Amino acid sequence: MFIDIPSELEAALIDRFLPPWELDGSFLAQSTMEEYRTELTATPRFEETAPTLRHALTGEGGGYAVLRLGNLAKALGTGDRLRRLATAFAAEVAVPFSPFPRWPLWKDIGVKVDKDPGRSSGIGYNAFHMDLVNATRPPEYTTLLCVRPDPLGGGPSILSDAYAAVARLSEDSRALLAETAYNYGTFFDLFGVGEEYKPFPILDGSDPGEGFVRFTAKMLERSQLGQAHADAARELAEELVRGQVSFMLQPGDYLIVNQRRFLHGREALHSGQETVPGADRRLLLQLFLRARAGDGSAA
């Protein structure tokens, strides 16, 4: 769902200066969240925009939202002021945090032509996945703020309803995906996401529509899987592609994905990235969110 910011709210936010955030460990401090909420609720039409955002993420049939902050990005730039506003909106959904102690709250995802093309910072197809798939408590939400799209016109975001894809699978495939037989990635120097989960089931909920769909298409190439389990995961990958939606993020677009409902990825960037100066290449900023205790999205 794309959510436009009402013009009255945009105008008020341009004139509002949110203070720098403070952290409690790797989490946004409660005092900062309260301060941001006080500031935002004093602006016109915010109280109707925030519920719309939450409903898009957790309401029936929902699971992702793109908050259109482009006009704010034009007025404020893409530096601290825009990041504080995006952080304040994120805090209306859940608690912002960084699982990587070596990184700040927001993590840059730029383009590196010499890296694995399939990685988030690569130039190739980034297949469907959930972030931190091998953690016992992965972030309930992953978010991406677009600073610059690919200047050559490639790299649209892709999203797919994980539960809908699972529902289209055969009963035998679902049974295989519910077995603790899958693994992917390494696990070190992480904060706030529990312990390493290895091996894990792709379907870790007791009932359909519950729990995470712990899937990354990269496990098909980089994990040792038995034939039956690999075939079931490959069938899921095909269904995710069949049900995907895609769109190009524009400067200031803020994508928020409920990882309990949707998986995400990215089409390949346009060829010729090596001809684009590094400072002009696609740039996204990533922020993770932890659902509050008692939230229906919490574990």
Side-chain angles (χ1 to χ4, degrees):
M1 179 178 182
F2 287 78
I3 301 175
D4 291 313
I5 304 297
S7 57
E8 302 97 313
L9 179 54
E10 283 182 338
L13 292 177
I14 289 171
D15 292 333
R16 194 162 293 270
F17 289 80
L18 297 181
W21 58 69
E22 294 183 2
L23 299 181
D24 182 2
S26 288
F27 288 82
L28 189 67
Q30 180 66 30
S31 59
T32 296
M33 288 189 287
E34 292 173 355
E35 191 169 8
Y36 284 179
R37 167 153 262 277
T38 298
E39 291 287 335
L40 291 184
T41 53
T43 57
R45 302 192 65 181
F46 175 76
E47 291 284 30
E48 67 186 68
T49 303
T52 299
L53 174 61
R54 289 191 290 267
H55 181 76
L57 293 167
T58 62
E60 184 176 355
Y64 75 91
V66 178
L67 200 59
R68 311 304 295 267
L69 305 179
N71 289 336
L72 291 169
K74 290 178 183 178
L76 305 177
T78 56
D80 288 345
R81 290 189 64 191
L82 183 67
R83 297 183 195 197
R84 291 173 194 171
L85 283 173
T87 303
F89 274 106
E92 291 294 311
V93 175
V95 182
F97 81 109
S98 172
F100 310 107
R102 62 189 182 278
W103 293 99
L105 191 62
W106 288 88
K107 176 185 176 183
D108 289 6
I109 299 180
V111 174
K112 300 176 181 177
V113 296
D114 57 344
K115 296 295 183 181
D116 179 349
R119 296 182 66 87
S120 58
S121 59
I123 63 175
Y125 175 64
N126 185 219
F128 280 113
H129 63 281
M130 68 167 287
D131 289 326
L132 295 170
V133 65
N134 61 337
T136 55
R137 296 190 65 225
E140 283 83 9
Y141 300 90
T142 184
T143 83
L144 295 166
L145 177 62
C146 180
V147 175
R148 286 189 304 273
D150 178 6
L152 300 180
S157 297
I158 55 175
L159 292 156
S160 193
D161 185 331
Y163 290 152
V166 169
R168 294 192 294 268
L169 301 177
S170 67
E171 185 175 344
D172 288 345
S173 291
R174 290 197 297 269
L176 286 164
L177 295 176
E179 294 181 1
T180 306
Y182 297 89
N183 64 85
Y184 175 76
T186 57
F187 189 95
F188 61 94
D189 196 20
L190 297 176
F191 182 87
V193 294
E195 306 297 328
E196 182 175 16
Y197 198 4
K198 181 180 180 180
F200 53 81
I202 289 179
L203 306 181
D204 73 349
S206 56
D207 297 307
E210 292 185 359
F212 290 101
V213 178
R214 293 178 175 272
F215 180 76
T216 172
K218 294 174 185 177
M219 67 172 58
L220 295 170
E221 300 177 355
R222 304 179 187 179
S223 300
Q224 296 296 320
L225 296 174
Q227 190 63 49
H229 290 100
D231 287 345
R234 191 167 290 108
E235 185 182 351
L236 174 57
E238 292 170 355
E239 289 299 332
L240 289 166
V241 172
R242 185 172 291 115
Q244 80 176 36
V245 296
S246 65
F247 46 81
M248 188 72 72
L249 292 175
Q250 300 301 321
D253 281 351
Y254 186 29
L255 170 63
I256 304 177
V257 182
N258 183 340
Q259 291 211 115
R260 287 189 178 275
R261 300 192 180 193
F262 271 72
L263 300 179
H264 67 286
R266 183 208 67 229
E267 298 285 3
L269 302 183
H270 197 282
S271 60
Q273 292 297 313
E274 66 280 355
T275 68
V276 179
D280 295 334
R281 293 174 186 160
R282 183 178 190 260
L283 176 61
L284 304 181
L285 305 177
Q286 186 171 43
L287 175 69
F288 295 101
L289 310 178
R290 168 68 65 212
R292 297 175 178 85
D295 189 314
S297 297

